[in-house]
Amino acid sequence: MLKEQVSRMNFNSFLIKFVVFYNYFVLYYLIFVNGIYTFLLILSMKGVFIHGKTSEFLPYYEMLSSIFVPPVSIIVPCHNEESTIVENIYSLLSLEYSQFEIVVVNDGSTDNTLQVLIDGLNLKKIDRPYKSSISTADVRGVYISGKFENLVVIDKENGGKADALNSGVNICKYPLFTAIDADSVLEKNALLKVVVPFIKDSERVVASGGIVRIVNGSKVDRGFIEKVKLSQNSLAIFQTVEYLRAFLFGRIGFSMLNGLLIVSGAFGVFKKDIVIKVGGYTSNTIGEDMELIIKIHEYLRERKEDYRVVFVPDPVCWTQAPEDIKSLSSQRIRWHRGLMDSLFRHKKMFLNPKYGIVGMFSIPYYWIVELFGPIIEVTGYVVVILSIIFGLINWKFAIIFFLFAVVYGVFLSIGAVLLEEYNFKKYEDVKDYLKLILYSILENFGYRQMVAWWRFRAFFGYKKGKKTWGNIKRKEFTE
Amino acid sequence: MFNSFIIYMFYILCLLNVFFFIYLLFKKLIDKKKQNFKKEKREYFEEEINKYIFSEDENDFSKLDAALEMEVLEELLLEYSDIISGEGKERLLSISRQTGILGKNLELMHKRSWWKQAMGAYFIGQMEAEEGVPILLEKIDSEKEELAYIAKRSLIKISGTKYLEQIMEKEVHGSIKTKNRVMSLIDDTEEDIYSTMEKLFERENTFLSIIALESLGNRKDERVIPYIKKYIFNQEKELRISSIKAAMSIGDIGDDEYFWYLLKLETDESWEVRTFFAKLLGIFKRTESVDVLSTLLTDENWHVRFNSGESLLKQGEIGILTLSEMLLSEDKFASDRAFDIIQRETIFNNLEDRILLYGNCEKIMGNIEEFKNAKRAGVTYEF
């Protein structure tokens, strides 16, 4: 009996010690993470400022008709996109760019995507030979359009998004290619703007990415944005704030350091030869966009090449955000598993000076902040509950600390809105601005915890090498 | 101690958030007002500029003091400068002088920040303002690549070829040597560039020779032909490719000796060179081209074979006849490639109708039929 009491006391005191230790750990972790965010925010402010100023003296008009602007292949992988695919192809066909081709890859859709494409674009099947530089699932047929000479459609067996992209890389004919999600809408001049780094520094730039914004709520007419507005759906607005933060200070900051690890799968331009050299997109992964960029960094850093992976904040690709909890949770779980996949595959780069800023800063950031962040956050909440049970909580400090975290989160969000307002001014209505600020406060009370929980859940059931297409309920773009 | 630090930080962040919120809100409201004002001013200035440029109206513009008005007019002048040349451009320059906008941009060139200087340089170049030349000449040496590039571009816009050689010299020593960027600079001048390019050839520098070859080629200047002959068998692959590119731009000048000279490239060791050579042969519509292209269609390199097919198509009837014969080749790629081209041309350019007009119509159609029956039984293709 006494023995039992002693062991229970020992366990209790261990638990108490652990809870106290964990509280301090979370506190210092939060300070560390926010320190990094602030550093990135400052870098981004500089980056956005320089970008804003330099774009004032870029001769865009001349570039539109210049023969010196490199031709680009636009690869559009699609899977069960029958409702939006044709409209999106039409909008891509009217992009402002001197020379481009569109390669649509139908990755074994089980709906009517192929037939919709055949009817809508007057496709004819041809027997086209092509160089298979990257191995992919079987190609069932290549189609060209009777209406548009610069359009090719590949119909292939289902192999996942990465496999579809690789098929596109195999068949596309230009030295630069861009990968665009079928459910996205590009601004007319977006392609030209995202290619600018390749014009300015064609030797060193190997990949460039533009900003992805949430289209929900905006007025879209025939595949083009007519008026930018915030959605009426709360989940979509929360994601708008998140995207602004992720792109406007996350990616710009990393790009300034030449340590960018993600060029969004929704909109990025790559040098075809380097993508082929690294073996193309990795098929058995979920986060193929991040995986490709890490492979490029790894390959070029190992060869001590001077290169750049850049983010351009100006060219915009508009994408549909999920408006229901189910789609959003599955999207976030998928993204987090993609992140895990890429980081596990390249664990040798972690804190490895051989990989320069990528190995010493970007990869550790993604491990410590992005990958383990949700674990620390969720367990943090559990520990807070335990602290209350054990009577260990200093209520005054806990409340102040929580409010501090909220206010800091709001500060970072306002920072992103500030960057947005200074350079891009996409949301014209004052009402939209007020909503953005309101939601950047509200997200700390429920939304953020929900996202952390999904990302935490991603660790369970993670299976290396799983490849799926994300399924989000798509809406047709209508006025 | 730590608690009070967190509390202070909390208050500071609260204040910062409130400050940013109010600041942004005011900015947003002011921007809206500004936008409306700019819209009105834009309409007004547009009308005034049109009158000044296109009608007899000789009313001069007065000097502007309001920054916002200047901003609107400056934007408009830049937009007009993209689409207007000659006398109209001189009028735009005159407006920028009268209103003080040119003066403002000249002043920008003396500011400390490089991007302000670049903005000034850009405006001066777009307006083709001679008074900006001395300061632009200073800026082409700037360590800031962007500024140096804009200054070079503006200098060329204003002075044509006058400083071109000097600019090219700087490009050779620049840290970023981008061929297309340099060539787009040369493209900005409308004057005859031959004498400057000749000097670049004399430098015996690979980069400069490539620029000169392709720039003269782009202008279809036949005086480049001796240089094509000189460099087309050079040790450096890049020079051989640039020579072919120049030859492609010049086209078939009807000189047999020149053509036979070019044909020697058939056995070049580099596949990139053979690829460009295959493209080049598409321009020379001769029986010899068809013979060489038929061989190249079975080249070991995919790119060479791909381009040979396209060039055969450009040869007209004889090329299409060869392609149709290639359908029956044992080389699967050559056969598939020929079929790809024939199918595509049928869909886009009514190849079938064209074939009916050819003397070899029956032969070509027979080959296609034989191919379809023998190798593609059971598959329906559009013909």
Side-chain angles (χ1 to χ4, degrees):
Chain A
M1 188 73 170
L2 187 69
K3 210 176 166 189
E4 209 174 276
Q5 258 182 340
V6 169
S7 83
R8 195 178 296 157
M9 270 175 64
N10 279 347
F11 176 73
N12 280 359
S13 68
F14 166 75
L15 204 61
I16 288 167
K17 273 185 187 161
F18 172 76
V19 167
V20 172
F21 163 78
Y22 203 82
N23 275 331
Y24 276 105
F25 169 70
V26 171
L27 179 71
Y28 291 120
Y29 176 80
L30 189 79
I31 292 170
F32 169 73
V33 168
N34 283 333
I36 291 182
Y37 284 156
T38 311
F39 170 63
L40 287 173
L41 180 64
I42 294 166
L43 274 181
S44 302
M45 283 183 165
K46 190 181 167 199
V48 168
F49 179 77
I50 293 173
H51 176 80
K53 293 301 167 195
T54 49
S55 53
E56 283 184 41
F57 48 81
L58 257 184
Y60 280 117
Y61 186 83
E62 269 181 26
M63 282 159 63
L64 272 181
S65 55
S66 170
I67 56 165
F68 302 111
V69 171
V72 176
S73 299
I74 303 171
I75 302 173
V76 189
C78 62
H79 177 74
N80 294 347
E81 305 271 0
E82 62 179 6
S83 59
T84 54
I85 188 73
V86 172
E87 191 181 0
N88 282 325
I89 300 303
Y90 271 100
S91 79
L92 286 173
L93 282 162
S94 28
L95 281 175
E96 286 177 347
Y97 202 81
S98 53
Q99 202 182 353
F100 67 93
E101 65 162 350
I102 296 174
V103 180
V104 183
V105 188
N106 176 41
D107 189 51
S109 294
T110 49
D111 68 355
N112 238 359
T113 302
L114 182 65
Q115 198 53 49
V116 165
L117 283 166
I118 291 173
D119 297 340
L121 300 162
N122 188 19
L123 299 181
K124 316 272 182 198
K125 192 175 185 185
I126 61 159
D127 198 17
R128 169 166 294 181
Y130 61 90
K131 190 180 178 190
S132 187
S133 309
I134 310 163
S135 63
T136 64
D138 280 350
V139 170
R140 296 191 285 227
V142 178
Y143 296 78
I144 56 171
S145 165
K147 278 185 183 170
F148 309 103
E149 269 193 79
N150 57 341
L151 177 70
V152 182
V153 174
I154 304 170
D155 179 39
K156 65 181 278 292
E157 297 289 343
N158 181 266
K161 187 177 172 186
D163 194 68
L165 286 165
N166 285 337
S167 288
V169 173
N170 277 339
I171 214 161
C172 73
K173 62 181 178 186
Y174 296 132
L176 292 183
F177 76 86
T178 175
I180 290 169
D181 281 354
D183 61 320
S184 303
V185 173
L186 277 191
E187 284 191 354
K188 267 202 166 181
N189 55 11
L191 191 55
L192 188 60
K193 285 181 175 174
V194 80
V195 166
V196 166
F198 289 95
I199 300 168
K200 281 183 177 174
D201 193 356
S202 63
E203 297 295 314
R204 290 189 297 179
V205 176
V206 292
S208 86
I211 189 167
V212 178
R213 288 170 183 271
I214 305 282
V215 74
N216 306 45
S218 297
K219 205 167 162 186
V220 181
D221 184 22
R222 269 159 269 172
F224 286 105
I225 298 283
E226 276 221 323
K227 182 152 178 66
V228 178
K229 278 192 79 64
L230 272 185
S231 170
Q232 298 293 327
N233 179 287
S234 298
L235 272 185
I237 307 177
F238 281 131
Q239 291 172 78
T240 307
V241 176
E242 262 186 321
Y243 271 57
L244 281 182
R245 236 182 4 234
F247 281 92
L248 285 184
F249 82 74
R251 300 217 181 154
I252 299 176
F254 279 108
S255 171
M256 292 285 287
L257 296 167
N258 196 27
L260 190 64
L261 288 197
I262 308 177
V263 165
S264 172
F267 183 34
V269 178
F270 302 87
K271 264 188 188 160
K272 185 177 163 177
D273 63 345
I274 190 75
V275 171
I276 289 173
K277 273 182 196 160
V278 300
Y281 288 89
T282 307
S283 293
N284 55 349
T285 186
I286 312 160
E288 70 289 328
D289 44 2
M290 183 179 192
E291 176 61 21
L292 177 67
I293 296 295
I294 300 183
K295 281 202 296 188
I296 291 175
H297 278 303
E298 188 181 3
Y299 180 87
L300 294 171
R301 294 258 174 195
E302 280 172 2
R303 280 156 188 78
K304 295 188 169 54
E305 303 256 1
D306 186 12
Y307 72 99
R308 296 279 178 274
V309 175
V310 292
F311 175 76
V312 197
D314 208 3
V316 182
C317 171
W318 296 87
T319 192
Q320 288 192 50
E323 290 190 349
D324 61 291
I325 297 274
K326 199 180 158 205
S327 300
L328 182 62
S329 67
S330 79
Q331 183 196 56
R332 294 310 161 95
I333 291 172
R334 200 163 51 86
W335 284 2
H336 207 70
R337 285 180 182 158
L339 174 73
M340 286 156 76
D341 228 13
S342 293
L343 292 178
F344 292 163
R345 277 171 201 267
H346 302 276
K347 49 185 179 292
K348 68 167 183 182
M349 292 171 81
F350 182 79
L351 286 178
N352 188 339
K354 190 172 146 190
Y355 299 100
I357 192 84
V358 176
M360 298 303 286
F361 180 72
S362 308
I363 295 266
Y365 165 85
Y366 276 92
W367 273 97
I368 299 166
V369 180
E370 296 293 339
L371 186 69
F372 292 131
I375 297 182
I376 294 165
E377 195 172 340
V378 171
T379 48
Y381 294 128
V382 175
V383 168
V384 166
I385 294 167
L386 285 175
S387 304
I388 296 169
I389 293 168
F390 289 116
L392 292 169
I393 208 151
N394 174 345
W395 282 102
K396 191 185 162 198
F397 180 73
I399 291 168
I400 289 287
F401 183 69
F402 174 71
L403 289 176
F404 169 74
V406 169
V407 171
Y408 205 95
V410 174
F411 169 71
L412 294 172
S413 298
I414 291 189
V417 177
L418 183 87
L419 290 175
E420 156 72 21
E421 268 308 304
Y422 248 90
N423 280 277
F424 314 110
K425 297 187 186 82
K426 293 285 176 194
Y427 300 97
E428 284 177 8
D429 281 358
V430 177
K431 229 166 56 184
D432 281 347
Y433 162 70
L434 293 173
K435 257 192 194 174
L436 278 178
I437 300 290
L438 177 69
Y439 275 77
S440 61
I441 299 168
L442 289 179
E443 70 166 349
N444 294 287
F445 304 96
Y447 179 76
R448 192 179 144 171
Q449 289 76 10
M450 201 161 67
V451 172
W453 171 243
W454 292 328
R455 293 170 70 194
F456 178 75
R457 267 177 49 199
F459 285 91
F460 307 100
Y462 162 72
K463 223 164 121 192
K464 203 177 166 193
K466 208 174 165 190
K467 44 178 181 178
T468 51
W469 277 85
N471 285 320
I472 291 170
K473 274 186 206 162
R474 304 280 181 221
K475 281 181 172 176
E476 282 184 51
F477 289 121
T478 47
E479 261 191 75
Chain B
M1 173 75 180
F2 188 72
N3 286 11
S4 48
F5 170 73
I6 292 285
I7 291 169
Y8 279 126
M9 283 302 289
F10 170 72
Y11 288 137
I12 290 170
L13 279 173
C14 278
L15 280 175
L16 269 177
N17 281 346
V18 172
F19 170 75
F20 279 141
F21 169 72
I22 294 172
Y23 170 72
L24 278 174
L25 185 63
F26 273 105
K27 187 179 176 298
K28 190 105 200 148
L29 292 168
I30 291 166
D31 277 353
K32 269 219 136 169
K33 274 202 159 176
K34 262 188 187 175
Q35 231 176 20
N36 292 337
F37 175 80
K38 279 172 98 173
K39 201 179 160 196
E40 270 173 38
K41 277 286 158 196
R42 195 184 157 87
E43 280 167 17
Y44 167 76
F45 281 133
E46 222 165 340
E47 207 175 301
E48 290 295 303
I49 294 174
N50 286 341
K51 260 196 264 170
Y52 192 74
I53 295 179
F54 303 113
S55 70
E56 298 293 304
D57 191 350
E58 287 294 331
N59 279 342
D60 280 349
F61 279 71
S62 52
K63 193 169 180 337
L64 296 176
D65 291 319
L68 210 54
E69 282 190 345
M70 267 199 170
E71 200 182 309
V72 176
L73 185 57
E74 188 171 341
E75 274 171 22
L76 267 174
L77 289 175
L78 285 173
E79 277 173 36
Y80 273 73
S81 71
D82 275 329
I83 42 175
I84 281 177
S85 58
E87 217 176 291
K89 195 90 172 228
E90 280 170 27
R91 293 230 143 193
L92 288 181
L93 176 60
S94 166
I95 296 172
S96 73
R97 280 190 185 123
Q98 291 162 30
T99 51
I101 294 175
L102 181 64
K104 186 201 94 180
N105 279 285
L106 283 167
E107 274 173 30
L108 281 184
M109 300 290 291
H110 297 284
K111 296 277 180 197
R112 277 187 68 187
S113 90
W114 71 267
W115 56 264
K116 279 187 183 165
Q117 294 176 30
M119 277 162 67
Y122 180 68
F123 185 85
I124 292 165
Q126 287 296 103
M127 291 298 120
E128 296 174 16
E130 287 280 353
E131 49 268 65
V133 170
I135 186 80
L136 287 172
L137 279 170
E138 280 174 32
K139 299 299 171 194
I140 60 173
D141 287 321
S142 169
E143 281 177 11
K144 205 79 203 164
E145 285 282 348
E146 302 254 3
L147 172 59
Y149 179 79
I150 294 291
K152 287 168 195 165
R153 180 180 173 275
S154 295
L155 259 182
I156 291 172
K157 282 208 173 262
I158 300 167
S159 313
T161 54
K162 195 171 171 189
Y163 302 103
L164 195 55
E165 198 190 344
Q166 195 178 334
I167 289 168
M168 290 299 118
E169 175 73 25
K170 306 274 177 205
E171 283 298 324
V172 177
H173 300 295
S175 60
I176 305 172
K177 282 202 269 288
T178 309
K179 190 180 81 181
N180 278 1
R181 243 167 96 111
V182 179
M183 285 182 59
S184 66
L185 276 176
I186 297 173
D187 200 43
D188 275 335
T189 173
E190 285 162 18
E191 292 174 29
D192 181 12
I193 57 167
Y194 180 73
S195 57
T196 314
M197 295 301 114
E198 208 176 15
K199 284 176 193 157
L200 297 189
F201 282 126
E202 282 166 17
R203 299 283 308 278
E204 293 289 340
N205 172 295
T206 304
F207 180 69
L208 289 179
S209 300
I210 285 171
I211 297 290
L213 274 166
E214 292 189 30
S215 297
L216 286 172
N218 283 344
R219 289 173 182 238
K220 304 201 183 303
D221 191 331
E222 290 185 16
R223 288 172 290 181
V224 75
I225 289 173
Y227 294 103
I228 292 175
K229 287 182 178 172
K230 179 180 173 185
Y231 290 111
I232 208 151
F233 297 109
N234 192 285
Q235 274 185 329
E236 304 230 26
K237 182 177 72 185
E238 282 73 21
L239 269 171
R240 302 206 294 277
I241 291 172
S242 289
S243 304
I244 299 175
K245 283 185 183 173
M248 279 162 71
S249 304
I250 298 291
D252 188 353
I253 50 167
D255 180 344
D256 285 342
E257 196 192 328
Y258 170 60
F259 173 69
W260 282 106
Y261 193 70
L262 295 175
L263 275 189
K264 288 179 199 164
L265 283 166
E266 185 186 349
T267 51
D268 195 288
E269 60 185 23
S270 151
W271 66 264
E272 288 107 317
V273 174
R274 294 199 305 279
T275 300
F276 278 100
F277 175 60
K279 280 188 188 179
L280 174 68
L281 288 182
I283 294 163
F284 290 88
K285 294 186 175 48
R286 296 156 189 247
T287 327
E288 294 84 354
S289 299
V290 176
D291 295 340
V292 175
L293 284 168
S294 311
T295 315
L296 290 177
L297 200 61
T298 55
D299 191 280
E300 61 182 27
N301 184 277
W302 188 89
H303 294 276
V304 181
R305 300 194 301 243
F306 185 90
N307 284 292
S308 305
E310 295 295 334
S311 291
L312 270 173
L313 176 75
K314 290 180 187 156
Q315 297 292 331
E317 182 175 351
I318 186 165
I320 290 162
L321 176 64
T322 311
L323 279 172
S324 73
E325 282 163 357
M326 281 291 165
L327 288 173
L328 310 172
S329 159
E330 279 178 17
D331 183 326
K332 188 171 179 324
F333 179 87
S335 158
D336 284 348
R337 181 74 189 121
F339 192 56
D340 172 30
I341 292 170
I342 290 172
Q343 265 189 307
R344 192 194 63 207
E345 284 304 299
T346 307
I347 292 168
F348 285 121
N349 300 316
N350 302 323
L351 179 65
E352 208 176 16
D353 296 345
R354 269 155 54 205
I355 293 173
L356 292 175
L357 303 174
Y358 292 156
N360 290 304
C361 167
E362 273 181 34
K363 243 181 176 175
I364 296 171
M365 293 308 266
N367 287 337
I368 293 171
E369 277 308 308
E370 195 178 336
F371 171 78
K372 278 165 68 183
N373 295 334
K375 295 195 170 184
R376 302 281 184 251
V379 182
T380 314
Y381 288 95
E382 298 285 336
F383 270 100

